[in-house]
C-alpha cells in the first residue's frame, strides 16, 4: 500500500499532497516538513530509498523519492510494494504530467494542482496502484477534458476568454523537468 | 435561457478562480496569512450563493488551501452539494475536495450514501470512476455496508475502466466491513482471470494485500497464482504474485519446492531488476534449505551490490541481510564487498552494510572491523549515524555471549574510548556493557577497575553533558566497578578523592546514589588497609574527609541520594566515635559489603520453581479491611516507585509444573551443557548440590599466559582524544604482530599445512577469559519463550482473518437494500426456516462444512423457486446456481458439479473433497502437468461431466500407480454409485439416458456431449435450449431455455414468443392471442443465468420443425430502461420426440418379425476415426435410443416416439471407419427424418 504521495519543491513548499490515511491538516504539514528535511539534505547521487521518518509509519514503511529539477516526488509505501516498482511509478507519473502539460514545469503544478490530482487518480486509487500504462492514462485524461469542455459549452466561453487574458502576464516559465531514463524496470 | 446563462457566467468572471487565488498568494508573500483570511471570507460568501458553478469554484479554492494546511472541514456540507451536481466538471471538483478532507469521522458522510450509489451506477463511466476514487479515500463502515452490493455489481461491469476500480475498492470495503469478504470472495477470485490485464492486476493487488496479513487463509489460492505466474507477462502482476508467494511459502514448505524451478528460471531470464529482486526475496523467504538457489541469489545480489546504481546497491544489501540469518557462510564470502560499502558516501547504504557486518565478524577480524568502525565514527557528521555506529560496535562485540572477543582488555579499552564520542545517546548501553564485562569476566576485573579509576579521575569531561541517557551514564558503571572491586585499585585513596569532588553533585540522581554507596565501599577497603598498616593518621584523615564531604549529598534533591547519604553519614559519625576511642572497627565496616555478587541470568527470576505447598495466591495475613478511609491522601506524599511495582509483578512467578522425571532430565541436560560449554566453569566434585556451584575461587580460573607485549596498565591520555594512535589499536597491532610471527615460524618450518587457510582456531588468543553464565535456579534451563507474533488488536486485518474455503452459508449475503416483498409462497418458507434451525442446532462443528454446502445450495434453490412459483404454473422455473456463488474447481480438483439437466433434479453430487485436499493434491503432483483442469461446468448433460471425471481419474491412475490403487477403486465405486443415483433421480428422461450409461461404464473416454444447443445470443443475453418430452403426453413438447445474462445491468420483463405454425403451437396464458409472448417468470441480475420452460403442442411429429421466435427484454438502470429484441429460430428435430425406452432382446426380435415395421431406411456415416463405442454413444445420446444388444462391432437399438412409433436400428461398423445403420419403422417419413438427423449429429 502507498500511504502518502507528496510533491514539494526545493524549498519544501508543498505542490501536491495526497494521504491515503487520515491525518489532520497540521499533521500533514508536519509530515511534509519532516520529509523535506530528510530528503533535501541528501546528495544527488545517493539511493532513492529512506527508512521512514518517525511521523509516518514505522519500520515497515519506506520513503521512496525522485528529484526532478525543482521538484521532489515522494512516495511513502509499506513493505508490500516493490521499491523499484514504485520508482518506476513515479517515472510514469512524471512522464504523464509531461505529456498532459506539454513540457511540465513547476508552474504547471502550482496553477493546476487539481489537474495533477486528476492525473494521479488515474494511476493510484486508495493507495493501490491502478494503472501503469501511460497511453491508457493519457487517453482517459483527454477524454475527461473533452467531457469537461463539452459541459462548459457556450456558457464557458467568456470565462475562458477572461482567464486567457489573465494568463498573458504570466512570468517566463522556468526550465522543464528533465526526464532521465529508468533502465531498471522496463 | 442560454442568454441568461451567458450573463450569469459573465458575472462570475469577476469572481476569483483558483488561478487567481494561487497568483494572489504568490503576490502576497509578506502578508500571506492575511490575504488567505480575506480569500476565505470571499469563499464563504460564494458558498452562500445558489449558483452551483460559483460553489464549485469556491470548493476548488478550498481544496488548494487545504494543501497549504488550512482546515476546511467547516465546508463539508458545501462539498457534498458540489458532489451532487449533475455536471461531471463540478462533481469531480466536489469529489476531489471530499477525498482530500473527508475521513471516517466526517459526519456529513451519512448523507452521501444514496448520492454515491447513484453516481456508481451512472451511465457515464467517468462519473462512476470519480465516485469510486473518492469513496476509496473516505470509506466508512456504514458506507462499506450499504454500498458493498453496488460495488459487487460494478465488478462485473462491461467496462474494464470501472471493473478494475471496483475490484480495488473492495479491499477498502473489506477493511471497514469484514462481513463482506466471504460473499464477495468468489467473484474477486474470478477476477484473477479477467481478460483485461488491468482488472487482473487489481484483483492480484487486493488479494496480495489481504494475504499479507493473513496468509494462511489464502494458501488454497496457490494453484491459481502459480498458473498466473507462469502465464503472465505483466511485471507489475508478477511482482505482486511473487511477493505473495513470499508470504505463503513459509506456511507450506511443499509450495517452496514447487516454486523453485519457475523462480530460478525467472531469475536467470528476466531483465527487469525489480522482478529479479522480488524473486530473490521470495527464494530467501520461502526456500532457505535449497542451497543451490540461495547460492544463485547470493551471486545475483553481488552483481546488484557492485552495480553503480545506488538503488540496486541498497536493495542488494537489504536482501543480503535476509540471507545472513539463514546462510551466514554464503554471505561471509562477500565480506570484501560489504566492507567496501561501509565507505560509501551514501548513508543509507552504509547503514545497510552495518547491518550486515553483524554476521561478518569472526575472532580473526573483529578487532580490525571495530577499528574501521571507530575511524568512521570520527568522520561521521550526523549524530544519528554516529550513534548507529556506536550501538553496532557494541552489538557486534557482545553478540553470542562475546563469542568473538579473544581479548577483553581490548574490549574494555574500546568501551572507554567510546565514552569520548560526542553527544551520544547510548551512554547507558556502554555502561551496561562495562558492568556486564567486569562482573562476568573475572580475569579482567583488575584491568577494568584501573580503567574505571581513570574515568572517574577525568569525570569532569564526561559529567559536563547532563543530558539524560548521555555519556555521563558511564560514571554509574565506573563508580560501581571501582567500589565493588576496590581490592584491585592501585590508589584507592586517590579514587575516593575523585568520587568526592563537588562536581559529582551535578550528576543525575541515580548516579549520585551509586556514588554514595560506593564511596562507603571504598572507605571500608581503605580502612582495612590502613588498619593493617596501623596508619592511624591516615584513618583519621580519611574519616574526617568523609564526614566533611558527605553532607553535600545529604542536601541533594534526589530522595534516594539523600536517604543513602544520611544513612552513611550517621554510620560514619558512629565509626568516627569508635575510632576516637581507639577501637578498630575496619572489619565490621568491611563486613557491610562482604560477599561477592554473582551474575544472574536474565530469566532466572521467572524460572524459580514454586516450592511444594506454597500457594502464592493465598493471603499471608488477612486482607486489610476496606474501612480505613483516611489512608488514601497520605499515600500521595510518596511518589510511586516504578521499580517497586515491577518487583511486585515479578513475584508472581510462572508456575512450571514439572514432574520429577522431567526435572531430572533437565538437570542432566544442563549438566551436559555446562560440561561442554567452554564459557562455563567446570564443577568441582564437592560442589555438587550446592546452590552456588558456579562460585569458584578466582585462583581456580585457568588463565592463559598473558602476552607481555601488551602492557596491562595503559594510561588514558585525557587531553588528546584526537590523538592519532588509539589505545585499542595497540591490541590490534599486537595481534597482527603475533600472527606475523606465527606465520614466519610456520613458514620457516615449511610445514605441510602451508596451503591451509587460517582457520578460526589459528587466531592467537591473547587473553583467555572465562565467562560465567548467569546463575539459574535448579532445574531451569535457558530457553526462549517469546510469544507468537500476532496481529495488533487495532489492526483492521485482524478482523479479516476469515476462512475463505468454507462454503458460503445461506445467510451470508451482502446486504441489499430492497423494497419489502411479500412472497406469495410465504407459508412455505417458515417451515423451511424452522428446518434449517433445527438442523443447525444438531450439527457439530466438524460435520458442518459438508452439510452446509449442500444445504445452502438447496435452500437457495428453494427460496428462489418459491418466489418464482407465483407465476403461471405452465412455466417451471428453476434457479440455477449463479456463477457468483459457485466454487470454481481448482486445477486437478476431481469433483463433479451436477449440471442442471433436469428441472426437479436434486443436488446429487456434493463436493467430495475439501479444497485443502485439492491443494495437497496439487502440491504433491511432482511432474504432473500443472493444469489438470476440469473444464468449468457448463450447463450440459450429466454425461459431459461424468466422462470428464473419468478422464481425470484415468489420468490419475497412470500417475499415481500402485500407491493409490485402493483409493482409486473406492473412487470408481463411488462414481458408479453416483451414476446409478443420477439415473434414479431422472424421472423425465431416465430412459434415454440409461442406454448411454451402460455404454459409458467401460471403454475409452467419451467426448463431451451436450443436449443443449445455442438458440440465440446478443451482447446482453444468451439462450441455450433443450427439448423434453414425456411418453404419456404424445402431443406435448417442453422446451427448456437457459437464459444467461451477459449484461452488467438487470434484465427485466423478458418475454418469449414464437410464431405458431400449423403443426406446432406454443402454450400461452389463458386469453392471450398468438401474438402475445409468454412472460419469463424471472429477472436476470448481472452475470446470472436461469432456466425457463415453455410448452408446445405438436400435431404431427414425423417432420422436423423450425419456428421463428422473438425474445424481448428490458435493460434496467437507475434512470432509464431500454427495450431490446432478439430474434431466433427454434429447431425441433424429429428425434426430439423419441424416448429411449429399454427393450428386451426378445421383444425386439418379436417386433422385427411381426412385420408391422414396414418401412426401411439405411444410412452410412463415417466415424472419423472415433471408436465404434463413441459412435454408438452419440447415436444413443442425440438420437435418444436405448441399446438392446451389443455384440462386438454391431448393436441393435430401440426407441419409441411420444406417439407410439417403434423404431429399431441396427448399427454396424464396417471396416475402414464406416458405420452403417439400418432402420425399421412403421412410419417411413419419421424413420427417414430421424435417421438423417442421426447422420448429422453422430458423424
Amino acid at each position: 500500500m502507498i500511504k502518502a504521495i507528496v510533491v514539494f519543491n526545493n524549498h519544501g513548499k508543498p505542490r501536491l499532497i495526497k494521504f491515503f490515511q487520515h491525518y489532520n491538516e497540521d499533521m500533514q504539514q508536519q509530515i511534509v516538513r519532516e520529509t523535506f528535511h530528510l530528503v533535501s539534505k541528501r546528495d544527488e547521487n545517493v539511493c532513492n530509498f529512506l527508512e521512514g521518518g518517525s511521523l509516518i509509519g514505522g519500520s515497515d514503511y519506506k520513503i521512496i523519492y525522485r528529484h526532478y529539477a525543482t521538484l521532489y516526488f515522494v512516495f511513502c509505501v509499506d513493505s508490500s510494494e516493490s521499491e523499484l516498482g514504485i520508482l518506476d511509478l513515479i517515472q510514469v507519473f512524471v512522464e504523464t504530467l509531461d505529456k498532459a502539460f506539454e513540457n511540465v514545469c513547476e508552474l504547471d503544478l502550482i496553477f493546476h494542482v487539481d489537474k495533477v490530482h486528476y492525473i494521479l487518480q488515474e494511476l493510484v486509487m486508495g493507495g493501490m496502484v491502478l494503472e501503469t500504462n501511460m497511453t491508457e492514462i493519457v487517453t482517459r485524461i483527454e477524454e475527461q477534458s473533452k467531457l469537461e469542455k463539452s459541459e462548459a459549452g457556450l456558457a464557458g466561453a467568456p470565462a475562458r476568454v477572461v482567464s486567457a487574458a489573465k494568463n498573458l502576464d504570466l512570468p517566463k516559465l522556468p526550465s522543464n523537468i528533465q526526464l532521465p531514463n529508468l533502465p531498471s524496470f522496463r | 435561457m442560454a442568454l441568461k446563462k451567458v450573463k450569469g457566467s459573465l458575472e462570475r468572471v469577476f469572481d476569483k478562480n483558483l488561478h487567481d487565488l494561487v497568483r494572489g498568494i504568490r503576490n502576497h508573500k509578506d502578508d500571506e496569512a492575511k490575504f488567505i483570511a480575506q480569500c476565505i471570507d470571499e469563499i464563504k460568501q460564494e458558498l452562500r450563493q445558489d449558483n452551483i458553478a460559483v460553489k464549485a469554484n469556491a470548493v476548488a479554492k478550498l481544496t488548494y488551501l487545504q494543501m497549504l494546511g488550512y482546515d476546511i472541514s467547516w465546508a463539508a456540507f458545501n462539498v457534498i452539494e458540489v458532489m451532487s451536481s449533475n455536471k461531471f466538471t463540478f462533481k469531480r471538483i466536489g469529489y476531489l475536495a471530499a477525498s482530500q478532507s473527508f475521513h471516517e469521522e466526517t459526519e456529513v458522510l451519512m448523507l452521501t450514501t444514496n448520492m454515491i450509489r447513484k453516481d456508481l451506477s451512472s451511465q457515464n463511466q467517468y462519473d462512476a470512476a470519480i465516485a469510486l476514487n473518492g469513496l476509496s479515500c473516505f470509506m466508512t463502515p456504514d458506507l462499506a455496508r450499504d454500498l458493498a452490493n453496488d460495488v459487487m455489481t460494478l465488478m462485473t461491469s462491461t467496462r474494464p475502466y470501472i471493473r478494475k476500480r471496483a475490484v480495488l475498492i473492495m479491499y477498502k470495503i473489506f477493511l471497514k466491513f469484514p462481513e463482506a469478504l466471504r460473499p464477495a470472495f468468489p467473484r474477486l477470485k474470478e477476477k484473477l482471470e479477467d481478460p483485461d490485464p488491468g482488472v487482473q492486476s487489481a484483483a492480484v493487488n487486493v488479494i496480495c494485500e489481504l494475504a499479507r496479513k493473513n496468509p494462511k487463509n489464502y494458501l488454497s489460492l496457490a494453484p491459481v497464482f502459480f498458473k498466473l505466474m507462469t502465464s503472465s507477462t505483466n511485471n507489475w502482476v508478477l511482482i505482486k504474485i511473487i511477493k505473495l508467494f513470499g508470504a505463503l511459502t513459509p506456511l507450506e514448505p511443499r509450495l517452496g519446492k514447487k516454486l523453485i524451478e519457475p523462480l530460478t528460471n525467472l531469475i536467470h531470464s528476466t531483465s527487469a531488476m525489480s522482478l529479479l529482486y522480488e524473486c530473490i526475496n521470495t527464494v530467501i523467504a520461502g526456500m532457505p534449505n535449497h542451497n543451490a538457489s540461495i547460492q544463485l541469489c547470493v551471486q545475483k545480489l553481488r552483481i546488484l551490490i557492485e552495480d553503480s546504481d545506488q538503488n540496486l546497491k541498497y536493495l542488494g544489501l537489504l536482501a543480503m541481510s535476509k540471507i545472513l540469518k539463514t546462510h551466514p557462510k554464503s554471505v561471509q564470502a562477500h565480506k570484501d564487498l560489504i566492507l567496501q560499502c561501509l565507505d560509501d558516501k551514501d548513508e543509507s547504504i552504509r547503514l545497510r552494510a552495518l547491518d550486515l557486518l553483524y554476521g561478518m565478524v569472526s575472532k580473526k577480524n573483529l578487532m580490525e572491523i571495530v577499528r574501521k568502525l571507530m575511524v568512521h565514527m570520527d568522520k561521521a557528521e550526523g549524530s544519528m549515524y554516529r550513534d548507529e555506529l556506536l550501538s553496532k560496535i557494541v552489538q557486534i562485540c557482545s553478540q553470542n555471549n562475546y563469542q568473538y572477543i579473544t581479548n577483553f582488555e581490548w574490549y574494555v579499552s574500546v568501551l572507554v574510548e567510546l565514552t569520548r564520542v560526542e553527544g551520544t545517546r547510548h551512554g547507558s548501553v556502554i555502561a551496561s556493557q562495562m558492568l556486564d564485562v567486569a562482573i562476568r569476566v573475572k580475569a579482567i576485573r583488575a584491568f577494568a577497575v584501573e580503567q574505571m579509576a581513570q574515568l572517574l579521575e577525568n569525570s569532569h569531561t564526561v559529567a559536563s553533558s547532563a543530558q539524560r541517557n548521555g555519556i555521563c551514564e558511564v560514571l554509574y558503571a565506573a563508580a560501581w566497578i571501582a567500589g565493588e572491586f576496590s581490592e584491585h585499585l592501585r590508589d584507592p585513596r586517590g579514587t575516593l578523592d575523585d568520587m568526592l569532588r563537588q562536581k559529582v553533585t551535578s550528576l543525575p540522581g541515580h548516579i549520585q546514589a551509586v556514588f554514595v554507596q560506593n564511596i562507603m565501599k571504598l572507605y571500608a577497603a581503605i580502612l582495612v588497609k590502613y588498619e593493617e598498616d596501623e596508619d592511624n593518621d591516615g584513618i583519621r584523615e580519611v574519616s574526617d574527609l568523609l564526614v566533611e564531604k558527605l553532607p553535600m549529598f545529604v542536601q541533594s534533591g534526589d530522595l534516594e541520594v539523600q536517604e543513602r547519604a544520611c544513612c552513611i553519614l550517621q554510620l560514619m559519625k558512629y565509626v568516627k566515635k569508635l575510632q576516637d576511642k581507639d577501637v578498630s572497627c575496619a572489619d565490621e565496616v568491611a563486613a557491610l559489603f562482604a560477599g561477592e555478587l554473582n551474575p544472574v541470568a536474565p530469566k532466572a527470576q521467572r524460572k524459580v520453581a514454586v516450592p511444594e505447598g506454597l500457594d502464592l495466591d493465598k493471603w499471608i495475613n488477612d486482607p486489610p479491611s476496606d474501612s480505613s478511609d483516611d489512608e488514601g491522601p497520605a499515600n500521595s506524599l510518596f511518589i510511586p516507585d516504578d521499580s517497586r511495582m515491577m518487583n511486585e509483578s515479578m513475584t508472581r512467578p510462572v508456575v512450571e509444573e514439572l514432574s520429577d522425571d522431567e526435572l531430572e532430565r533437565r538437570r542432566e541436560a544442563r549438566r551436559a551443557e555446562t560440561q561442554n560449554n567452554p564459557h562455563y566453569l567446570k564443577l568441582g566434585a564437592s560442589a555438587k548440590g550446592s546452590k552456588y556451584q558456579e562460585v569458584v575461587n578466582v585462583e581456580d580460573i585457568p588463565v592463559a599466559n598473558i602476552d607481555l607485549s601488551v602492557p596491562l596498565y595503559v594510561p588514558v591520555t585525557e587531553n588528546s582524544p584526537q590523538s592519532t594512535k588509539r589505545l585499542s589499536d595497540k591490541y590490534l597491532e599486537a595481534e597482527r604482530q603475533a600472527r606475523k610471527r606465527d606465520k614466519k615460524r610456520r613458514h620457516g618450518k615449511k610445514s605441510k599445512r602451508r596451503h591451509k587457510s587460517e582457520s578460526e582456531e589459528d587466531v592467537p588468543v591473547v587473553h583467555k577469559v572465562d565467562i560465567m553464565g548467569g546463575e539459574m535456579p535448579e532445574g531451569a534451563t535457558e530457553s526462549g519463550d517469546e510469544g507468537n507474533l500476532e496481529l495488533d488488536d487495532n489492526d483492521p486485518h485482524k478482523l479479516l482473518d476469515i476462512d475463505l474455503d468454507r462454503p458460503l452459508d445461506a445467510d451470508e449475503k451482502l446486504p441489499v437494500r430492497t423494497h419489502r416483498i411479500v412472497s406469495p409462497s410465504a407459508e412455505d418458507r417458515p417451515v423451511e426456516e424452522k428446518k434449517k434451525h433445527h438442523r443447525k442446532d444438531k450439527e457439530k462443528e466438524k460435520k458442518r462444512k459438508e452439510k452446509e454446502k449442500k444445504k445452502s445450495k438447496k435452500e437457495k434453490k428453494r427460496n428462489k423457486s418459491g418466489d418464482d412459483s407465483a407465476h403461471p404454473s405452465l412455466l417451471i422455473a428453476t434457479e440455477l446456481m449463479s456463477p457468483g456463488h459457485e466454487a470454481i474447481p481448482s486445477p486437478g480438483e476431481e469433483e463433479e458439479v451436477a449440471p442442471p439437466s433436469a428441472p426437479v433434479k436434486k443436488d446429487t453430487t456434493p463436493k467430495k473433497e475439501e479444497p485443502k485436499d485439492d491443494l495437497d493434491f496439487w502440491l504433491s503432483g511432482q511432474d504432473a502437468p500443472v493444469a489438470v483442469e476440469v473444464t468449468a461446468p457448463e450447463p450440459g448433460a450429466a454425461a459431459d461431466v461424468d466422462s470428464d471425471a473419468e478422464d481425470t481419474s484415468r489420468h490419475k491412475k497412470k500417475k499415481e500407480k500402485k500407491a493409490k490403487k485402493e483409493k482409486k477403486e473406492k473412487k470408481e465405486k463411488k462414481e458408479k454409485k453416483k451414476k446409478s443415483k443420477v439415473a434414479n433421480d431422472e424421472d423425465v428422461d431416465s430412459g434415454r439416458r440409461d442406454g448411454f450409461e451402460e455404454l459409458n461404464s467401460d471403454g475409452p473416454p467419451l467426448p463431451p456431449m451436450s443436449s443443449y444447443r445455442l438458440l440465440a445470443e446478443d451482447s446482453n443475453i444468451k439462450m441455450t435450449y433443450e427439448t423434453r418430452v414425456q411418453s404419456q403426453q404424445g402431443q406435448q413438447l417442453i422446451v427448456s431455455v437457459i437464459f444467461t445474462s451477459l449484461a452488467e445491468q438487470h434484465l427485466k420483463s423478458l418475454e418469449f414468443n414464437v410464431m405458431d405454425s400449423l403443426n406446432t403451437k406454443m402454450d400461452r396464458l389463458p386469453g392471450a392471442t398468438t401474438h402475445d409472448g409468454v412472460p419469463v417468470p424471472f429477472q436476470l441480475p448481472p452475470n446470472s443465468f436461469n432456466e425457463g420452460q415453455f410448452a408446445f403442442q405438436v400435431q404431427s411429429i414425423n417432420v422436423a420443425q423450425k419456428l421463428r421466435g422473438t425474445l424481448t427484454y428490458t435493460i434496467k438502470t437507475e434512470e432509464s430502461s431500454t427495450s431490446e429484441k432478439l430474434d431466433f429460430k427454434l429447431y425441433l428435430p424429429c428425434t426430439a420426440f423419441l424416448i429411449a425406452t429399454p427393450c428386451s432382446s426378445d421383444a425386439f426380435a418379436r417386433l422385427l418379425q411381426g412385420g408391422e415395421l414396414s418401412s426401411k431406411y439405411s444410412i452410412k456415416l463415417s466415424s472419423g476415426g472415433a471408436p465404434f463405442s463413441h459412435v454408438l454413444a452419440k447415436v444413443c445420446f442425440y438420437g435418444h435410443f436405448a441399446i438392446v444388444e451389443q455384440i462386438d462391432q454391431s448393436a441393435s437399438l430401440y426407441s419409441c416416439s411420444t406417439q407410439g412409433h417403434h423404431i429399431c436400428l441396427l448399427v454396424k461398423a464396417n471396416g475402414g471407419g464406416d458405420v452403417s445403420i439400418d432402420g425399421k419403422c412403421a412410419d417411413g417419413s419419421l424413420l427417414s427424418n430421424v435417421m438423417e438427423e442421426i447422420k448429422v449429429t453422430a458423424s
Side-chain angles (χ1 to χ4, degrees), chain B residues 491-494 496-497 522-543 579 584 586:
Chain B
D491 178 17
R493 185 58 220 279
L496 185 66
D497 284 342
L522 264 182
Y523 172 73
I526 292 170
L527 209 58
V528 171
K529 203 175 159 217
Y530 282 176
E531 277 193 7
E532 268 173 27
D533 302 348
E534 296 185 357
D535 181 357
N536 285 332
D537 289 345
I539 291 173
R540 200 167 307 116
E541 194 200 344
V542 76
S543 301
Q579 282 169 350
S584 61

Side-chain angles (χ1 to χ4, degrees), chain B residues 193-407:
Chain B
E193 283 163 293
D194 196 279
D196 183 84
V199 182
Q200 204 181 42
S201 161
V204 169
N205 224 329
V206 170
I207 292 185
C208 287
E209 284 295 338
L210 291 170
R212 202 161 69 94
K213 296 295 173 77
N214 297 303
K216 64 174 191 308
N217 299 337
Y218 299 85
L219 258 181
S220 60
L221 282 184
V224 184
F225 277 108
F226 190 85
K227 206 176 119 208
L228 268 181
M229 186 178 85
T230 43
S231 61
S232 177
T233 51
N234 180 344
N235 278 354
W236 285 94
V237 171
L238 279 175
I239 287 175
K240 283 282 171 187
I241 292 174
I242 288 167
K243 263 188 179 291
L244 175 71
F245 276 132
L248 293 184
T249 40
L251 303 176
E252 177 54 88
R254 287 176 295 170
L255 185 58
K257 269 183 212 143
K258 193 122 193 157
L259 282 173
I260 275 185
E261 203 196 315
L263 280 184
T264 39
N265 283 348
L266 267 178
I267 291 176
H268 278 300
S269 64
T270 185
S271 59
M273 284 300 182
S274 47
L275 189 56
L276 170 70
Y277 176 66
E278 294 308 337
C279 286
I280 292 175
N281 262 334
T282 296
V283 169
I284 297 167
M287 41 226 91
N289 299 323
H290 199 270
N291 273 322
S293 310
I294 294 283
Q295 285 310 324
L296 174 68
C297 290
V298 174
Q299 274 170 31
K300 287 282 176 183
L301 286 179
R302 184 172 174 110
I303 296 172
L304 287 192
I305 297 172
E306 280 171 336
D307 200 286
S308 60
D309 186 341
Q310 296 283 317
N311 291 329
L312 298 184
K313 195 176 279 226
Y314 174 89
L315 294 176
L317 290 169
L318 195 64
M320 252 333 176
S321 66
K322 288 177 195 158
I323 296 187
L324 186 66
K325 284 176 198 136
T326 51
H327 293 74
K329 285 262 163 59
S330 316
V331 182
Q332 269 159 13
H334 302 281
K335 200 175 73 197
D336 55 321
L337 195 62
I338 288 154
L339 287 177
Q340 215 176 305
C341 289
L342 272 186
D343 297 321
D344 201 282
K345 59 187 182 304
D346 188 347
E347 190 180 293
S348 300
I349 287 178
R350 286 199 306 258
L351 282 174
R352 287 274 76 87
L354 263 186
D355 276 350
L356 277 169
L357 265 190
Y358 183 80
M360 295 286 108
V361 291
S362 63
K363 281 183 180 164
K364 212 165 51 180
N365 62 13
L366 177 71
M367 285 187 182
E368 212 154 336
I369 287 178
V370 169
R371 196 189 104 86
K372 202 163 183 175
L373 292 182
M374 308 239 324
V375 172
H376 275 292
M377 206 146 63
D378 281 346
K379 285 194 287 187
E381 283 148 27
S383 66
M384 203 279 261
Y385 180 57
R386 207 157 39 201
D387 269 3
E388 192 62 35
L389 274 169
L390 196 157
S391 69
K392 269 281 137 48
I393 291 178
V394 172
Q395 199 189 347
I396 287 171
C397 292
S398 64
Q399 66 174 311
N400 273 343
N401 214 0
Y402 307 100
Q403 187 189 347
Y404 299 116
I405 295 184
T406 51
N407 186 333

Side-chain angles (χ1 to χ4, degrees), chain A residues 22-23 25, chain B residues 71-80 83 97-113 137-143:
Chain A
H22 176 66
Y23 289 102
E25 279 76 12
Chain B
D71 176 28
I72 63 161
S73 55
W74 52 269
F77 190 77
N78 303 103
V79 170
I80 290 181
M83 280 159 83
S99 73
Q100 291 294 87
S101 63
F102 286 8
H103 51 94
E104 213 171 305
E105 270 85 55
T106 306
E107 282 175 6
V108 284
L109 272 176
M110 295 186 302
L111 308 173
T112 59
T113 316
C137 293
F138 51 73
M139 186 69 78
T140 68
D142 285 343
L143 283 175

Side-chain angles (χ1 to χ4, degrees), chain B residues 73 108 288 403 448 509 589 612 639 762 863 945 1041 1090 1099 1110 1139:
Chain B
S73 55
V108 284
Q403 187 189 347
V589 176
E612 227 173 288
I639 304 147
D762 291 335
N863 287 348
V945 184
V1041 183
N1090 209 335
Q1099 295 289 325
T1110 318
I1139 299 170

Side-chain angles (χ1 to χ4, degrees), chain A residues 47-48 51 131 143 166, chain B residues 20 126 164 311 346 352:
Chain A
C47 72
N48 299 101
E51 260 106 295
E131 182 60 69
E143 273 177 39
K166 280 179 185 168
Chain B
D20 300 324
Y126 293 111
K164 65 184 173 193
N311 291 329
D346 188 347
R352 287 274 76 87

